[in-house]
Amino acid sequence: MSEVLLQASGLRLAFGGVKAADGIDLGVMKGEFLAIIGPNGAGKTTFINMTTGYLRPNAGTITYDGRRITGMSPRAIVKLGIARSFQLPQLFVEHTVEQNIALAVASRDGIWSPLTPLLRPRFRDEARDLLGRFGLSAIADTRADALNEGARKLADIAMAVALKPRLLLMDEPTSGVAASEKMEVVETLARVLRDAAVTAVFVEHDMDVVERFADRVAVWSQGRIAALGPPTEVLNDPAVQRDVIGIERHA
Amino acid sequence: MSTTQDPPRDPMARPARLMKRYEPILAILLAAAMITAAILAPWLRFVLTIALAKGIAVLGILLLLRAGQVSFGHAIYIAFGAYVVAFLAPTVNDAALLLALAAVGAGLLGLVIGAFVTRYRQIFFGMLNLAMSMVFYSLLEKLYAITKGSDGIRVEIMPIAGQALDRVAYEWVIFGIALGIALVVAILLRLYLSSPMGEALAGIKTRETRLEFMGVPARGVLLSAYVMSAVVGGIGGALIALTSRHVTPQLAYWTSSGELVFIAILGGAGGVLGPFLGAATYELVRIYAAASFADAWQMILGAVLLLVILFAPGGLWGMAARAIGGRGR
Ligand SMILES: Nc1ncnc2c1ncn2[C@@H]1O[C@H](COP(=O)(O)OP(=O)(O)O)[C@@H](O)[C@H]1O
Ligand SMILES: [Mg+2]
């Protein structure tokens, strides 16, 4: 059936005595939405950091589209088509939301033009279109440091989407988004990603979101993958319910 | 969806936008005022040429400030440009050609030093620039056989673009060239600052790692700005040499670097006219203060800077912006 887009094999990374990755083997299929769940400190962010070149594993390899990317710089990895969003949004806080997105659009090929404006029609239109699809048009001219957490989060994801990745890794995309808006936001996001045929990996704490949007779920526990499979199977597994979901509910 | 925390909280946003629109008119007014002053008093022509030269160099400080970086050693490029003129004047013997050589030379020096210092940020960046400039200062002092040490080197009046000129005509043309270069560089810089490259430079100040995750080499962006800042420093230095017609190692001394930062803060980093407002004010205050209170002029300059930092953090440019923006409310 579908082919593997990203393959992690035997990833290990320790911080002092803490094993943040303790033998991670995971294949991400082209076109799927893969959710990562697990308690805080399980190593979910570390996996994203290793995949995007921010951290280098002590051992193991990551291949993307058949090509080894372990040890490559974040910059080189982005150029291959892997983008990410952040658990804590990483925006240019002295720029407007529109400028943030336009800069991401420009970074695909137009960053080195020194005499034409960033907000030239081509970049501005694409930024506005994307903001429209994220329902963020109203805050296009707002400075990023004046946004609430939910909007910051969405703008952060929109910046990653503006890079036109083939694989998008999102670290807790719905944390900070108000509970009443969560489903609507994920619905929108899922539509944008499906339209663009983006493969997505997302860390998520809300099991309703996981159940509804993930094709598969990977359960992280102490640097290992404790379970992997379709949401209906994994989320109903008694061990997962006891060890992960129980903890999530109380978190 | 509720998307903002509180009302827009940048009180300077509106004046800054307005100011951006008025900038070309203000530039013309400032240039006209300078030309008038230069006609009225020859000694002012000299002072204003120096002010323009320093203003051009301070544009380089402004560029680095965009990235949140302060160089405490940028006088190295002024001194380098000035010594290019002093060393090559006898052989080249043309001011226009020397200006171009100084710009290119300073750019190359900026590329070499920049490749090293742009690995660092904040205080390390500032201090490494200072260290570089002090090494250069020592070389100028110690290599007496080549540089004539602290005696310095005289620069004779020379032809400009092939035209031999008498002293008054020469000084007028240098003033005109300084004004012309100031305008051109200010326009180019203004375009640059709102281009993707310029906005990415500003992104280094707020979220450098995000740039990397967008595939943008932050260091490359900073290095290119650094080279530009070196080029304008070299041009400023060459103009100073052609105007004062005497170069000394003092040009590279750390106080000269401090002066550039001083002017940048005094003028304000919000727009490309700030450095020129700052430089003109600085030079005039310095001359009047030195004439009236021989022993206390540095204290007066210090007090002026203190007042600006306390009451007008946007500098003179910011004060002008508020004066213009405030009226419309
Ligand atoms: N850069 C780092 N330096 C030291 N320890 C780290 C670093 N990044 C993560 N860790 C540790 O690794 C473990 C996994 O962290 P993380 O991947 O952030 O977990 P999660 O995202 O699942 O909450 C935690 O114990 C955390 O403290
Ligand atoms: Mg995390």
Side-chain angles (χ1 to χ4, degrees):
Chain A
M1 36 161 271
S2 56
E3 4 165 5
V4 174
L5 182 60
L6 183 89
Q7 179 68 52
S9 311
L11 292 182
R12 290 176 194 281
L13 181 59
F15 298 106
V18 180
K19 290 175 176 170
D22 190 17
I24 298 287
D25 296 293
L26 178 67
V28 179
M29 302 298 162
K30 216 170 254 181
E32 78 169 330
F33 286 3
L34 175 75
I36 295 179
I37 65 173
N40 282 329
K44 305 182 296 295
T45 298
T46 299
F47 174 70
I48 293 182
N49 283 340
M50 289 188 295
T51 308
T52 53
Y54 189 65
L55 290 174
R56 207 186 170 130
N58 299 139
T61 57
I62 306 172
T63 55
Y64 167 76
D65 215 8
R67 180 172 179 170
R68 201 185 141 126
I69 59 168
T70 344
M72 283 171 71
S73 70
R75 224 193 307 147
I77 289 174
V78 175
K79 292 292 178 203
L80 293 178
I82 302 180
R84 70 174 292 184
S85 69
F86 296 80
Q87 192 170 343
L88 296 172
Q90 301 286 309
L91 305 174
F92 302 111
V93 290
E94 292 182 1
H95 287 87
T96 65
V97 173
E98 182 177 82
Q99 285 175 320
N100 270 274
I101 309 293
L103 207 46
V105 172
S107 70
R108 293 203 313 260
D109 61 12
I111 200 76
W112 296 108
S113 50
L115 296 177
T116 20
L118 169 65
L119 295 178
R120 69 194 74 174
R122 185 159 73 90
F123 296 162
R124 183 194 288 241
D125 291 350
E126 192 177 329
R128 287 198 175 157
D129 175 60
L130 195 60
L131 286 173
R133 282 189 283 148
F134 274 89
L136 295 176
S137 298
I139 55 161
D141 294 324
T142 307
R143 251 173 69 139
D145 56 0
L147 302 176
N148 70 23
E149 210 191 327
R152 256 204 292 269
K153 206 86 203 198
L154 280 181
D156 187 73
I157 297 167
M159 277 176 88
V161 172
L163 300 172
K164 296 215 167 147
R166 288 172 63 209
L167 172 64
L168 176 62
L169 303 146
M170 292 175 284
D171 203 347
E172 307 197 8
T174 67
S175 73
V177 177
S180 56
E181 294 166 357
K182 206 174 258 187
M183 278 302 168
E184 190 195 324
V185 162
V186 183
E187 195 85 60
T188 313
L189 181 58
R191 197 176 327 117
V192 171
L193 297 180
R194 288 231 162 81
D195 287 350
V198 176
T199 305
V201 173
F202 62 106
V203 175
E204 182 57 64
H205 287 288
D206 186 321
M207 293 310 138
D208 295 334
V209 171
V210 171
E211 195 150 18
R212 192 146 142 210
F213 294 97
D215 298 311
R216 287 195 303 157
V217 191
V219 182
W220 242 253
S221 173
Q222 297 180 27
R224 302 180 141 271
I225 295 177
L228 176 67
T232 42
E233 253 171 53
V234 171
L235 298 182
N236 292 321
D237 179 334
V240 171
Q241 288 201 329
R242 191 185 59 234
D243 297 342
V244 180
I245 303 177
I247 297 171
E248 296 284 354
R249 291 265 149 82
H250 298 287
Chain B
M1 187 175 21
S2 61
T3 35
T4 48
Q5 254 166 0
D6 29 48
R9 60 172 181 197
D10 184 3
M12 286 299 288
R14 202 181 106 90
R17 252 199 321 274
L18 267 176
M19 199 64 176
K20 187 119 201 176
R21 193 169 344 130
Y22 287 127
E23 221 168 29
I25 302 168
L26 289 172
I28 292 167
L29 288 177
L30 189 62
M34 283 188 170
I35 293 168
T36 312
I39 292 171
L40 293 178
W43 69 270
L44 267 178
R45 185 178 63 219
F46 175 85
V47 171
L48 290 174
T49 310
I50 298 287
L52 284 166
K54 285 187 182 167
I56 291 167
V58 171
L59 284 174
I61 301 288
L62 180 132
L63 259 183
L64 297 174
L65 279 175
R66 264 310 147 109
Q69 309 303 318
V70 184
S71 163
F72 291 114
H74 247 49
I76 188 175
Y77 301 108
I78 289 205
F80 186 84
Y83 272 90
V84 163
V85 169
F87 282 140
L88 299 183
T91 34
V92 173
N93 199 36
D94 189 292
L97 208 53
L98 285 174
L99 267 169
L101 288 171
V104 172
L108 291 174
L109 181 66
L111 187 61
V112 173
I113 295 179
F116 170 59
V117 297
T118 57
R119 292 166 190 271
Y120 301 87
R121 297 289 178 275
Q122 312 299 334
I123 194 71
F124 303 103
F125 177 85
M127 288 297 131
L128 280 171
N129 276 288
L130 176 65
M132 293 292 174
S133 72
M134 289 313 284
V135 168
F136 191 64
Y137 169 80
S138 306
L139 290 175
L140 292 175
E141 277 263 282
K142 299 285 171 347
L143 300 177
Y144 189 89
I146 310 168
T147 65
K148 299 216 186 77
S150 50
D151 295 346
I153 305 174
R154 265 190 68 79
V155 178
E156 301 302 333
I157 286 177
M158 66 187 90
I160 303 174
Q163 296 288 311
L165 302 162
D166 66 28
R167 195 175 66 83
V168 174
Y170 170 88
E171 287 176 5
W172 267 114
V173 173
I174 295 291
F175 171 78
I177 288 175
L179 192 59
I181 291 177
L183 284 170
V184 170
V185 173
I187 289 168
L188 290 177
L189 213 64
R190 191 171 185 259
L191 291 173
Y192 167 80
L193 287 175
S194 55
S195 76
M197 231 172 136
E199 299 290 7
L201 183 69
I204 291 176
K205 179 178 167 193
T206 49
R207 210 61 88 195
E208 182 166 349
T209 41
R210 183 66 189 241
L211 286 175
E212 295 287 329
F213 281 105
M214 298 191 329
V216 176
R219 228 188 102 206
V221 170
L222 183 58
L223 178 58
S224 52
Y226 190 89
V227 171
M228 285 184 245
S229 78
V231 168
V232 292
I235 293 173
L239 285 169
I240 288 172
L242 293 167
T243 307
S244 67
R245 309 215 331 269
H246 187 217
V247 304
T248 67
Q250 183 67 29
L251 286 168
Y253 200 57
W254 66 269
T255 51
S256 305
S257 293
E259 191 182 85
L260 297 177
V261 178
F262 186 123
I263 292 171
I265 294 170
L266 178 66
V272 292
L273 288 183
F276 298 101
L277 288 172
T281 308
Y282 177 85
E283 290 299 318
L284 290 172
V285 169
R286 190 165 74 128
I287 278 168
Y288 276 108
S292 322
F293 316 93
D295 305 322
W297 68 270
Q298 278 137 327
M299 205 175 82
I300 291 173
L301 274 176
V304 167
L305 187 64
L306 204 63
L307 288 174
V308 166
I309 289 174
L310 288 178
F311 299 108
L316 296 171
W317 187 90
M319 272 165 74
R322 250 177 306 178
I324 290 172
R327 215 183 299 142
R329 292 229 155 171

